[in-house]
Amino acid sequence: SFLDLVVDQNVYIDGFGVCEGTLACSICHVILDQKGYDHLGPIIDEENDMLDLAFGLTDMSRLGCQVC
Ligand code: FES
């Protein structure tokens, strides 16, 4: 996942991945371009529920811990 990439590369993003990908925080919210968004698999209900709580939600939003 994008979260794994951030952790593996030691990229510091304040709070990113605080729930370790358990769909409990929405801090890993990312906004993709159309091409990137279309390349990903479907959103599961649990991700959608947590996305609703994300700051600045857009039509291109996903949770970084759920996208590969
Ligand atoms: Fe918490 Fe993605 S890391 S929902």
Side-chain angles (χ1 to χ4, degrees), residues 29 31 48 50-62:
H29 174 214
I31 300 172
N48 241 343
M50 195 51 63
L51 267 173
D52 286 342
L53 304 176
F55 177 78
L57 183 66
T58 77
D59 289 342
M60 299 294 137
S61 291
R62 293 293 302 263

Side-chain angles (χ1 to χ4, degrees), residues 9 14-15 21 24 29-30 33 36 38 49 51:
Q9 297 299 315
D14 190 26
H29 174 214
V30 293
D33 63 14
D38 291 345
D49 290 346
L51 267 173

Side-chain angles (χ1 to χ4, degrees), residues 3 16-28 50 63-66:
L3 174 60
F16 194 90
V18 70
C19 80
E20 300 178 351
T22 61
L23 289 170
C25 73
S26 78
I27 302 287
C28 62
M50 195 51 63
L63 293 180
C65 65
Q66 303 301 304

